[in-house]
Amino acid sequence: MTAEYIAIEGGDGSGKSTVASAVEKRLIDLGRETMIVREPGSTGLGESIRELLLDGDDMHPWAEAFLFAAQRAQLAAEVVAPALAEGIWVISDRTYFSSIAYQGGGRGLGMDTVRQVNEHGLDGVVPDHVFVLDVDVSVALNRQDRPDRIGGEDEEFHQRVRDAYRKLSEQDPERVVIIDNTLGLEEVVTRIMSHLP
């Protein structure tokens, strides 16, 4: 069976890391070799950029978008593509769909424009499945222990991000699936697994 590239997406505080770990456990139980990566991060360059993006000073929206795209290009080439070639299933805590939603929708840079900027650097290494964990914005933001630079934006920004994810699902319903993350972890993971081969 060909390895799959799975993205766990959603707003800040939506539970992505928890769900990614639970999905990985289910896949391992099925005998699949797996790997979890995170964006930004999971490479030396990516972790350095992560610090700038999440804990650095305010920056121009396009600077933010290009930094996300840069770390993502490195991750795709250095980690994701080789893993998939070796038959390892990759579960990513965020992918370029985050930039489409956050910088394209939330920052107002344009969803299609941000998509194109990112796809140039990915060389076709894009998720087979994108699962967006949907939670009410105020509930999700209250779950954060210590909001980072982007997680600390106001509710209006995060609502634009949520709306952008919904639009992505409408545009590509076969790839981008909205999952109600108020259903409980086991049910959420079961729903995700039902979409996987």
Side-chain angles (χ1 to χ4, degrees), residues 83-94:
L84 293 171
E86 292 177 15
I88 299 169
W89 287 56
V90 177
I91 304 147
S92 188
D93 182 340
R94 295 200 181 284

Side-chain angles (χ1 to χ4, degrees), residues 17-169:
S17 300
T18 300
V19 170
S21 294
V23 169
E24 181 184 43
K25 184 177 185 306
R26 289 272 191 103
L27 288 170
I28 290 170
D29 288 346
L30 292 172
R32 314 270 165 81
E33 190 174 355
T34 64
M35 166 190 295
I36 291 183
V37 296
R38 70 176 183 174
E39 290 194 12
S42 293
T43 66
L45 177 66
E47 292 298 328
S48 296
I49 291 176
R50 181 183 183 88
E51 188 173 337
L52 284 172
L53 283 167
L54 302 186
D55 299 316
D57 298 329
D58 285 342
M59 61 183 69
H60 188 279
W62 273 114
E64 182 179 276
F66 282 120
L67 283 171
F68 271 111
Q71 65 80 34
R72 188 170 288 126
Q74 186 70 26
L75 177 63
E78 182 181 324
V79 179
V80 178
L84 293 171
E86 292 177 15
I88 299 169
W89 287 56
V90 177
I91 304 147
S92 188
D93 182 340
R94 295 200 181 284
T95 59
Y96 80 114
F97 284 85
S98 283
S99 280
I100 297 170
Y102 275 78
Q103 285 74 52
R107 300 287 190 213
L109 299 181
M111 293 172 66
D112 289 339
T113 304
V114 172
R115 179 193 291 273
Q116 290 168 15
V117 165
N118 278 271
E119 287 182 348
H120 281 299
L122 293 174
D123 196 26
V125 183
V126 299
D128 299 294
H129 308 277
V130 179
F131 299 104
V132 179
L133 306 180
D134 189 54
V135 182
D136 179 82
V137 167
S138 60
V139 172
L141 294 181
N142 285 331
R143 288 179 177 174
Q144 298 182 92
D145 293 330
R146 186 183 69 85
D148 57 39
R149 188 180 64 81
I150 298 173
E153 292 283 358
D154 62 26
E155 284 197 24
E156 287 185 10
F157 170 83
H158 288 284
Q159 187 59 54
R160 291 194 299 273
V161 171
R162 187 184 189 194
D163 293 343
Y165 276 124
R166 288 175 171 172
K167 185 174 181 181
L168 286 167
S169 179

